[in-house]
Coordinates of all heavy atoms in Angstrom, one line a residue:
I1 N 0.8 -1.2 0.0 CA 0.0 0.0 0.0 C 0.9 1.3 0.0 O 0.6 2.2 -0.7 CB -1.0 0.0 1.2 CG1 -1.9 -1.2 1.1 CG2 -1.7 1.3 1.3 CD1 -2.8 -1.4 2.2
W2 N 1.9 1.3 0.8 CA 2.8 2.4 0.9 C 3.4 2.7 -0.5 O 3.4 3.9 -0.9 CB 4.0 2.1 1.9 CG 4.9 3.3 2.1 CD1 4.7 4.2 3.1 CD2 6.1 3.6 1.4 NE1 5.8 5.1 3.0 CE2 6.6 4.8 2.0 CE3 6.7 3.1 0.3 CZ2 7.8 5.4 1.5 CZ3 7.9 3.7 -0.1 CH2 8.4 4.8 0.5
V3 N 3.9 1.7 -1.2 CA 4.5 1.9 -2.5 C 3.4 2.3 -3.5 O 3.6 3.2 -4.3 CB 5.2 0.7 -3.0 CG1 5.6 0.8 -4.5 CG2 6.4 0.4 -2.1
A4 N 2.2 1.7 -3.5 CA 1.1 2.0 -4.4 C 0.7 3.5 -4.3 O 0.4 4.1 -5.3 CB -0.1 1.1 -4.1
R5 N 0.7 4.0 -3.1 CA 0.3 5.4 -2.9 C 1.4 6.4 -3.5 O 1.1 7.4 -4.1 CB 0.2 5.8 -1.5 CG -1.2 5.4 -1.0 CD -1.4 6.0 0.4 NE -1.8 4.9 1.3 CZ -1.4 4.6 2.5 NH1 -0.6 5.5 3.1 NH2 -1.8 3.6 3.2
R6 N 2.6 6.0 -3.4 CA 3.7 6.8 -3.9 C 4.1 6.6 -5.3 O 4.6 7.5 -6.0 CB 4.9 6.6 -3.0 CG 4.7 7.3 -1.6 CD 5.5 6.7 -0.5 NE 5.3 7.4 0.7 CZ 4.3 7.1 1.5 NH1 3.4 6.2 1.2 NH2 4.2 7.7 2.7
L7 N 3.8 5.4 -5.9 CA 4.1 5.1 -7.3 C 2.9 4.5 -7.9 O 2.8 3.3 -8.2 CB 5.3 4.1 -7.3 CG 6.6 4.5 -6.6 CD1 7.6 3.4 -6.5 CD2 7.2 5.7 -7.4
P8 N 1.9 5.4 -8.2 CA 0.6 4.8 -8.7 C 0.8 4.1 -10.1 O -0.1 3.3 -10.4 CB -0.3 6.1 -8.8 CG 0.6 7.2 -8.8 CD 1.9 6.8 -8.0
G9 N 1.8 4.4 -10.8 CA 1.9 3.8 -12.1 C 2.6 2.4 -12.1 O 2.6 1.7 -13.1
V10 N 3.0 2.0 -10.9 CA 3.6 0.7 -10.8 C 2.6 -0.3 -10.3 O 2.0 -0.2 -9.2 CB 4.8 0.7 -9.8 CG1 5.4 -0.7 -9.6 CG2 5.8 1.7 -10.3
A11 N 2.3 -1.4 -11.1 CA 1.3 -2.4 -10.7 C 2.1 -3.6 -10.2 O 3.2 -3.9 -10.5 CB 0.5 -2.7 -11.9
G12 N 1.4 -4.4 -9.4 CA 1.9 -5.7 -9.0 C 2.0 -5.8 -7.5 O 1.7 -4.8 -6.7
R13 N 2.4 -7.0 -7.0 CA 2.5 -7.2 -5.6 C 4.0 -7.6 -5.3 O 4.7 -8.2 -6.2 CB 1.6 -8.4 -5.2 CG 0.1 -8.1 -5.5 CD -0.7 -9.2 -5.0 NE -0.5 -9.4 -3.6 CZ -1.0 -10.4 -2.9 NH1 -1.7 -11.3 -3.5 NH2 -0.8 -10.5 -1.6
A14 N 4.4 -7.4 -4.1 CA 5.7 -7.8 -3.7 C 5.8 -9.4 -3.7 O 4.9 -10.0 -3.2 CB 6.0 -7.3 -2.3
L15 N 6.8 -9.9 -4.3 CA 6.9 -11.4 -4.4 C 7.7 -11.9 -3.2 O 7.5 -13.0 -2.7 CB 7.6 -11.8 -5.7 CG 6.9 -11.4 -7.0 CD1 7.8 -11.8 -8.1 CD2 5.6 -12.1 -7.0
R16 N 8.5 -11.0 -2.6 CA 9.4 -11.4 -1.5 C 9.8 -10.1 -0.8 O 10.0 -9.1 -1.3 CB 10.6 -12.1 -2.0 CG 11.4 -12.8 -0.9 CD 12.6 -13.5 -1.5 NE 13.7 -12.8 -0.9 CZ 14.9 -12.9 -1.1 NH1 15.3 -13.6 -2.1 NH2 15.8 -12.2 -0.5
S17 N 9.9 -10.3 0.5 CA 10.4 -9.2 1.4 C 11.5 -9.7 2.3 O 11.4 -10.9 2.7 CB 9.2 -8.6 2.2 OG 9.7 -7.6 3.1
D18 N 12.5 -8.9 2.6 CA 13.5 -9.3 3.4 C 14.0 -8.1 4.2 O 14.1 -7.0 3.7 CB 14.7 -10.0 2.6 CG 15.6 -10.8 3.4 OD1 15.4 -10.9 4.7 OD2 16.6 -11.3 2.8
R19 N 14.5 -8.4 5.5 CA 15.0 -7.3 6.3 C 16.4 -7.0 5.8 O 17.0 -7.8 5.0 CB 15.2 -7.8 7.7 CG 13.9 -8.0 8.4 CD 14.0 -8.5 9.8 NE 15.4 -8.8 10.3 CZ 15.6 -9.2 11.5 NH1 14.6 -9.3 12.4 NH2 16.8 -9.4 11.9
H20 N 16.9 -5.9 6.1 CA 18.3 -5.5 5.8 C 19.2 -6.5 6.4 O 19.2 -6.7 7.6 CB 18.6 -4.1 6.4 CG 20.0 -3.6 6.1 ND1 21.0 -4.0 6.9 CD2 20.5 -2.9 5.1 CE1 22.1 -3.5 6.5 NE2 21.8 -2.8 5.4
P21 N 20.1 -7.1 5.5 CA 21.0 -8.1 6.1 C 22.2 -7.4 6.7 O 22.7 -6.3 6.2 CB 21.5 -8.8 4.8 CG 21.3 -7.9 3.7 CD 20.1 -7.0 4.1
W22 N 22.5 -7.8 7.9 CA 23.7 -7.3 8.6 C 24.9 -8.0 8.2 O 25.0 -9.1 8.0 CB 23.4 -7.5 10.1 CG 22.3 -6.8 10.7 CD1 21.0 -7.3 10.9 CD2 22.3 -5.4 11.2 NE1 20.2 -6.3 11.5 CE2 21.0 -5.2 11.6 CE3 23.2 -4.4 11.2 CZ2 20.6 -3.9 12.2 CZ3 22.8 -3.2 11.8 CH2 21.6 -3.0 12.2
T23 N 26.0 -7.2 8.2 CA 27.3 -7.8 8.1 C 28.0 -7.5 9.5 O 28.1 -6.3 9.9 CB 28.2 -7.2 7.0 OG1 28.3 -5.8 7.1 CG2 27.6 -7.6 5.7
M24 N 28.3 -8.5 10.2 CA 28.9 -8.4 11.5 C 30.1 -9.3 11.7 O 30.1 -10.4 11.1 CB 27.9 -8.7 12.6 CG 26.7 -7.7 12.6 SD 27.1 -6.0 13.0 CE 27.5 -6.1 14.7
T25 N 31.0 -8.9 12.6 CA 32.1 -9.8 12.9 C 31.5 -10.9 13.8 O 30.4 -10.8 14.3 CB 33.2 -9.1 13.7 OG1 32.6 -8.5 14.9 CG2 33.8 -8.0 12.9
P26 N 32.2 -12.1 14.0 CA 31.6 -13.2 14.8 C 31.2 -12.8 16.2 O 30.3 -13.3 16.7 CB 32.7 -14.2 14.7 CG 33.4 -13.9 13.4 CD 33.4 -12.4 13.3
D27 N 32.0 -11.9 16.8 CA 31.7 -11.5 18.2 C 30.9 -10.1 18.2 O 30.7 -9.6 19.2 CB 32.9 -11.4 19.0 CG 33.9 -10.3 18.5 OD1 33.7 -9.7 17.5 OD2 35.0 -10.2 19.2
V28 N 30.4 -9.7 17.1 CA 29.7 -8.4 16.8 C 30.3 -7.2 17.3 O 29.7 -6.1 17.5 CB 28.2 -8.5 17.4 CG1 27.5 -9.7 16.7 CG2 28.1 -8.6 18.9
H29 N 31.7 -7.2 17.5 CA 32.4 -5.9 17.8 C 33.0 -5.4 16.6 O 33.2 -6.1 15.6 CB 33.5 -6.2 18.9 CG 32.9 -6.6 20.2 ND1 32.1 -5.8 20.9 CD2 33.1 -7.7 21.0 CE1 31.8 -6.4 22.1 NE2 32.3 -7.5 22.1
F30 N 33.4 -4.1 16.6 CA 34.0 -3.5 15.4 C 35.4 -4.1 15.3 O 35.9 -4.8 16.1 CB 34.1 -2.0 15.6 CG 32.9 -1.4 16.1 CD1 32.8 -0.6 17.2 CD2 31.7 -1.5 15.3 CE1 31.6 0.0 17.6 CE2 30.5 -1.0 15.7 CZ 30.5 -0.2 16.9
A31 N 36.0 -3.9 14.1 CA 37.4 -4.3 13.8 C 38.2 -3.1 13.6 O 38.0 -2.4 12.6 CB 37.4 -5.3 12.6
I32 N 39.1 -2.8 14.5 CA 39.9 -1.6 14.4 C 41.4 -1.9 14.8 O 41.6 -2.6 15.8 CB 39.4 -0.5 15.4 CG1 37.9 -0.2 15.0 CG2 40.3 0.7 15.3 CD1 37.3 0.7 16.1
G33 N 42.3 -1.5 13.9 CA 43.7 -1.8 14.2 C 44.5 -1.3 13.0 O 44.0 -0.8 12.0
A34 N 45.8 -1.5 13.2 CA 46.8 -1.0 12.2 C 47.4 -2.2 11.5 O 47.7 -3.2 12.2 CB 47.9 -0.2 12.8
L35 N 47.5 -2.1 10.2 CA 48.2 -3.1 9.4 C 49.3 -2.4 8.7 O 49.1 -1.8 7.6 CB 47.3 -3.8 8.4 CG 46.2 -4.7 8.9 CD1 45.2 -5.1 7.8 CD2 46.7 -5.9 9.6
G36 N 50.5 -2.4 9.3 CA 51.6 -1.6 8.8 C 51.2 -0.1 8.8 O 50.7 0.4 9.9
P37 N 51.3 0.6 7.7 CA 51.0 2.0 7.7 C 49.5 2.3 7.5 O 49.1 3.5 7.5 CB 51.8 2.6 6.5 CG 51.9 1.4 5.6 CD 52.0 0.2 6.5
V38 N 48.7 1.3 7.4 CA 47.3 1.5 7.1 C 46.5 1.2 8.4 O 46.6 0.2 9.0 CB 46.8 0.5 6.0 CG1 45.3 0.6 5.8 CG2 47.6 0.8 4.7
T39 N 45.6 2.1 8.7 CA 44.6 1.9 9.8 C 43.3 1.4 9.3 O 42.7 2.0 8.4 CB 44.4 3.2 10.6 OG1 45.6 3.6 11.2 CG2 43.4 3.0 11.8
V40 N 42.9 0.2 9.8 CA 41.6 -0.4 9.4 C 40.6 -0.1 10.5 O 40.8 -0.3 11.6 CB 41.8 -1.9 9.2 CG1 40.4 -2.6 8.9 CG2 42.8 -2.2 8.2
A41 N 39.4 0.4 10.0 CA 38.3 0.7 11.0 C 37.0 0.2 10.3 O 36.5 0.9 9.4 CB 38.2 2.2 11.3
A42 N 36.6 -1.0 10.7 CA 35.4 -1.6 10.1 C 34.2 -1.6 11.1 O 34.3 -2.2 12.1 CB 35.6 -3.0 9.6
G43 N 33.2 -0.8 10.8 CA 32.0 -0.7 11.7 C 30.9 -1.7 11.4 O 30.0 -1.9 12.2
C44 N 30.9 -2.3 10.2 CA 30.0 -3.3 9.8 C 28.6 -2.7 9.7 O 27.9 -2.4 10.7 CB 30.0 -4.5 10.8 SG 31.6 -5.3 10.9
S45 N 28.1 -2.7 8.5 CA 26.7 -2.3 8.2 C 26.3 -0.9 8.7 O 25.1 -0.7 9.0 CB 25.7 -3.4 8.7 OG 25.9 -4.5 7.9
G46 N 27.2 0.0 8.9 CA 26.8 1.3 9.5 C 26.5 1.3 10.9 O 26.1 2.3 11.5
H47 N 26.6 0.1 11.6 CA 26.3 0.0 13.0 C 27.2 0.9 13.8 O 26.8 1.4 14.9 CB 26.5 -1.5 13.4 CG 26.3 -1.8 14.9 ND1 25.1 -1.6 15.5 CD2 27.2 -2.2 15.8 CE1 25.3 -1.9 16.8 NE2 26.5 -2.3 17.0
A48 N 28.4 1.3 13.4 CA 29.3 2.1 14.1 C 28.9 3.6 14.1 O 29.5 4.4 14.9 CB 30.7 1.9 13.6
F49 N 28.0 4.0 13.2 CA 27.7 5.4 13.1 C 27.4 6.1 14.4 O 27.9 7.2 14.7 CB 26.5 5.6 12.1 CG 26.1 7.0 11.9 CD1 26.9 7.9 11.1 CD2 25.1 7.6 12.5 CE1 26.6 9.2 10.9 CE2 24.7 8.9 12.3 CZ 25.5 9.7 11.5
K50 N 26.6 5.5 15.2 CA 26.1 6.1 16.5 C 27.3 6.2 17.5 O 27.2 6.9 18.5 CB 25.0 5.4 17.1 CG 25.2 3.9 17.4 CD 23.9 3.2 17.8 CE 24.2 1.7 17.9 NZ 23.0 1.0 17.5
F51 N 28.4 5.5 17.2 CA 29.5 5.5 18.1 C 30.6 6.4 17.5 O 31.8 6.4 18.0 CB 30.1 4.1 18.3 CG 29.1 3.2 19.0 CD1 28.4 2.2 18.2 CD2 28.9 3.2 20.3 CE1 27.5 1.4 18.8 CE2 28.0 2.4 20.9 CZ 27.3 1.4 20.1
G52 N 30.3 7.2 16.5 CA 31.3 8.0 15.8 C 32.3 8.8 16.7 O 33.5 8.7 16.5
P53 N 31.8 9.6 17.6 CA 32.8 10.4 18.4 C 33.8 9.5 19.2 O 35.0 9.8 19.1 CB 31.9 11.2 19.3 CG 30.6 11.3 18.6 CD 30.4 10.0 17.9
A54 N 33.3 8.5 19.8 CA 34.2 7.6 20.6 C 35.1 6.9 19.7 O 36.3 6.7 19.9 CB 33.4 6.7 21.5
L55 N 34.6 6.3 18.6 CA 35.4 5.6 17.6 C 36.4 6.5 16.9 O 37.6 6.1 16.6 CB 34.6 4.9 16.6 CG 33.8 3.7 17.1 CD1 32.9 3.1 16.1 CD2 34.7 2.6 17.7
G56 N 36.1 7.7 16.7 CA 37.0 8.7 16.1 C 38.3 8.9 16.9 O 39.4 8.8 16.4
E57 N 38.1 9.0 18.2 CA 39.3 9.1 19.1 C 40.1 7.8 19.0 O 41.3 7.9 19.0 CB 38.8 9.4 20.5 CG 38.3 10.8 20.8 CD 38.1 11.0 22.2 OE1 38.8 10.4 23.1 OE2 37.1 11.8 22.5
L58 N 39.4 6.7 19.1 CA 40.2 5.4 19.1 C 40.9 5.2 17.8 O 42.1 4.8 17.7 CB 39.2 4.2 19.3 CG 39.8 2.8 19.1 CD1 40.9 2.6 20.1 CD2 38.7 1.8 19.3
I59 N 40.3 5.6 16.7 CA 40.9 5.4 15.4 C 42.1 6.4 15.2 O 43.1 6.0 14.7 CB 39.9 5.6 14.2 CG1 38.9 4.4 14.3 CG2 40.5 5.7 12.9 CD1 37.6 4.7 13.5
A60 N 41.9 7.6 15.7 CA 43.0 8.6 15.7 C 44.2 8.0 16.5 O 45.4 8.1 16.1 CB 42.6 9.9 16.2
D61 N 43.9 7.5 17.7 CA 45.0 7.0 18.5 C 45.7 5.8 17.9 O 46.9 5.6 17.9 CB 44.5 6.6 19.9 CG 44.2 7.8 20.8 OD1 44.6 8.9 20.4 OD2 43.5 7.6 21.9
T62 N 44.9 4.9 17.3 CA 45.4 3.8 16.6 C 46.3 4.2 15.4 O 47.4 3.7 15.2 CB 44.3 2.9 16.0 OG1 43.5 2.4 17.1 CG2 44.8 1.7 15.2
S63 N 45.9 5.3 14.7 CA 46.7 5.8 13.6 C 48.0 6.4 14.0 O 49.0 6.2 13.3 CB 45.9 6.9 12.8 OG 44.8 6.3 12.2
D64 N 48.1 7.0 15.1 CA 49.3 7.6 15.5 C 50.1 6.8 16.5 O 51.1 7.2 17.1 CB 49.1 9.1 16.0 CG 48.4 9.2 17.3 OD1 48.2 8.2 18.1 OD2 48.0 10.3 17.7
G65 N 49.6 5.6 16.8 CA 50.4 4.7 17.7 C 50.2 4.9 19.2 O 50.9 4.3 20.0
T66 N 49.2 5.7 19.6 CA 48.9 5.9 21.0 C 48.3 4.6 21.6 O 47.2 4.2 21.1 CB 48.0 7.1 21.2 OG1 48.6 8.2 20.6 CG2 47.7 7.3 22.7
P67 N 48.9 4.0 22.6 CA 48.3 2.8 23.2 C 47.0 3.0 23.8 O 46.8 4.0 24.5 CB 49.3 2.4 24.2 CG 50.5 3.3 24.2 CD 50.1 4.5 23.3
R68 N 46.1 2.1 23.6 CA 44.7 2.1 24.2 C 44.4 0.7 24.6 O 43.9 -0.1 23.9 CB 43.7 2.6 23.2 CG 43.8 4.0 22.7 CD 43.2 5.1 23.6 NE 41.8 4.9 23.8 CZ 40.8 5.5 23.2 NH1 41.1 6.4 22.3 NH2 39.6 5.3 23.6
P69 N 44.8 0.3 25.8 CA 44.6 -1.1 26.3 C 43.2 -1.6 26.1 O 42.9 -2.8 25.8 CB 45.1 -1.1 27.7 CG 46.0 0.0 27.8 CD 45.5 1.1 26.9
A70 N 42.2 -0.8 26.4 CA 40.8 -1.2 26.3 C 40.4 -1.5 24.8 O 39.3 -2.1 24.6 CB 39.9 -0.1 26.9
A71 N 41.2 -1.1 23.9 CA 40.9 -1.3 22.5 C 41.1 -2.7 22.0 O 40.8 -3.1 20.9 CB 41.6 -0.3 21.6
A72 N 41.7 -3.6 22.9 CA 42.0 -5.0 22.5 C 40.8 -5.7 22.0 O 40.8 -6.6 21.2 CB 42.6 -5.7 23.7
M73 N 39.6 -5.3 22.5 CA 38.4 -6.0 22.1 C 38.0 -5.8 20.6 O 37.2 -6.5 20.0 CB 37.2 -5.6 23.0 CG 36.7 -4.1 22.8 SD 35.5 -3.6 23.9 CE 34.1 -4.5 23.4
F74 N 38.7 -4.8 20.0 CA 38.5 -4.5 18.6 C 39.6 -4.9 17.7 O 39.6 -4.7 16.5 CB 38.3 -3.0 18.4 CG 37.2 -2.4 19.2 CD1 37.4 -1.3 20.1 CD2 35.9 -2.9 19.1 CE1 36.4 -0.8 20.8 CE2 34.8 -2.3 19.9 CZ 35.1 -1.3 20.7
A75 N 40.7 -5.6 18.3 CA 41.9 -5.9 17.6 C 41.6 -6.8 16.4 O 40.8 -7.6 16.3 CB 42.9 -6.6 18.5
L76 N 42.4 -6.5 15.3 CA 42.3 -7.2 14.1 C 42.7 -8.7 14.2 O 42.3 -9.5 13.4 CB 43.1 -6.5 13.0 CG 42.7 -5.1 12.7 CD1 43.6 -4.5 11.6 CD2 41.2 -5.0 12.2
D77 N 43.5 -9.0 15.2 CA 44.0 -10.4 15.3 C 43.4 -11.1 16.5 O 43.9 -12.1 16.9 CB 45.6 -10.3 15.5 CG 46.0 -9.5 16.7 OD1 45.2 -8.9 17.4 OD2 47.2 -9.6 17.0
R78 N 42.2 -10.6 17.0 CA 41.6 -11.3 18.1 C 41.0 -12.7 17.7 O 40.6 -12.8 16.5 CB 40.5 -10.4 18.8 CG 39.3 -10.1 17.9 CD 38.4 -9.1 18.6 NE 37.2 -8.9 17.9 CZ 36.9 -8.0 17.0 NH1 37.9 -7.2 16.6 NH2 35.8 -7.9 16.4
P79 N 41.1 -13.7 18.5 CA 40.7 -15.0 18.1 C 39.2 -15.1 17.7 O 38.9 -15.9 16.8 CB 40.9 -15.8 19.4 CG 41.9 -15.1 20.2 CD 41.7 -13.6 19.8
A80 N 38.4 -14.2 18.2 CA 36.9 -14.3 17.8 C 36.7 -14.0 16.3 O 35.7 -14.5 15.8 CB 36.1 -13.3 18.7
L81 N 37.6 -13.3 15.7 CA 37.4 -13.1 14.3 C 37.5 -14.3 13.4 O 37.1 -14.3 12.2 CB 38.4 -12.0 13.8 CG 38.1 -10.6 14.3 CD1 39.1 -9.6 13.7 CD2 36.7 -10.1 14.0
A82 N 38.1 -15.4 13.9 CA 38.2 -16.6 13.2 C 37.0 -17.4 13.1 O 36.9 -18.4 12.4 CB 39.4 -17.4 13.7
G83 N 36.0 -17.1 14.0 CA 34.7 -17.9 14.0 C 33.8 -17.5 13.0 O 34.0 -16.6 12.2
P84 N 32.6 -18.2 12.9 CA 31.6 -17.9 11.9 C 30.9 -16.6 12.2 O 30.7 -16.3 13.4 CB 30.7 -19.1 11.9 CG 30.9 -19.6 13.3 CD 32.3 -19.4 13.7
A85 N 30.5 -15.9 11.2 CA 29.7 -14.6 11.5 C 28.3 -15.0 11.8 O 27.8 -16.0 11.4 CB 29.8 -13.8 10.2
P86 N 27.6 -14.1 12.5 CA 26.2 -14.4 12.8 C 25.4 -14.4 11.5 O 25.7 -13.8 10.6 CB 25.8 -13.1 13.7 CG 27.1 -12.5 14.1 CD 28.1 -12.9 13.1
A87 N 24.3 -15.2 11.5 CA 23.4 -15.2 10.4 C 22.9 -13.8 10.1 O 22.5 -13.1 11.0 CB 22.3 -16.2 10.6
A88 N 22.8 -13.5 8.8 CA 22.3 -12.1 8.5 C 20.9 -11.9 8.9 O 20.5 -10.7 9.1 CB 22.5 -12.0 7.0
S89 N 20.1 -12.9 9.1 CA 18.7 -12.6 9.4 C 18.5 -12.5 10.9 O 17.4 -12.2 11.3 CB 17.8 -13.7 8.8 OG 18.2 -15.0 9.4
L90 N 19.5 -12.8 11.7 CA 19.3 -12.7 13.2 C 19.5 -11.3 13.7 O 20.3 -10.6 13.2 CB 20.3 -13.7 13.9 CG 20.1 -15.2 13.6 CD1 21.2 -15.9 14.3 CD2 18.8 -15.6 14.0
P91 N 18.7 -10.9 14.7 CA 18.9 -9.6 15.3 C 20.2 -9.6 16.1 O 20.7 -10.6 16.5 CB 17.7 -9.4 16.2 CG 17.3 -10.8 16.5 CD 17.6 -11.6 15.3
I92 N 20.8 -8.4 16.2 CA 22.0 -8.2 16.9 C 21.7 -8.3 18.4 O 20.8 -7.6 18.9 CB 22.7 -6.9 16.6 CG1 23.1 -6.8 15.1 CG2 23.9 -6.6 17.5 CD1 23.6 -5.5 14.7
S93 N 22.4 -9.1 19.2 CA 22.2 -9.1 20.6 C 23.6 -9.1 21.2 O 24.6 -9.6 20.8 CB 21.5 -10.4 21.0 OG 22.2 -11.5 20.6
R94 N 23.7 -8.3 22.3 CA 25.0 -8.2 23.0 C 24.8 -8.7 24.4 O 23.9 -8.7 25.1 CB 25.4 -6.7 23.1 CG 25.7 -6.2 21.7 CD 26.4 -4.9 21.8 NE 26.6 -4.4 20.5 CZ 27.8 -4.4 19.9 NH1 28.8 -4.9 20.4 NH2 27.9 -3.9 18.7

């Protein structure tokens, strides 16, 4: 109905509907770290957007080599990254 009201010239019915698939790490934490001169910051599916200010500081510190012990949970070499990713249709739970 929503589409029909906005696009009256389009006829037909939805054949299939699906939620937005999530891309997440196996432990559902971000992946942030340095690989040589390159800093990697993967927030997965835009999930990191709401954490922008805090992640910005962490990414800046990672880029310039400032130690942040609490950042180990986001490390690129953490064992949890070797596991299977959550199914795309499952809701995120922490």
Side-chain angles (χ1 to χ4, degrees):
I1 294 174
W2 185 91
V3 173
R5 278 191 232 139
R6 286 158 179 80
L7 302 170
V10 176
R13 297 182 63 186
L15 300 177
R16 191 182 119 191
S17 175
D18 197 0
R19 295 178 354 176
H20 177 274
W22 293 96
T23 56
M24 297 297 289
T25 60
D27 62 0
V28 302
H29 293 301
F30 311 125
I32 301 169
L35 294 173
V38 176
T39 298
V40 176
C44 303
S45 291
H47 177 62
F49 179 78
K50 62 187 167 214
F51 298 102
L55 289 176
E57 285 186 35
L58 172 59
I59 293 163
D61 286 349
T62 300
S63 294
D64 69 14
T66 302
R68 297 275 302 258
M73 68 186 292
F74 305 123
L76 300 177
D77 60 353
R78 66 187 189 268
L81 289 182
S89 62
L90 296 176
I92 298 172
S93 61
R94 294 193 185 255

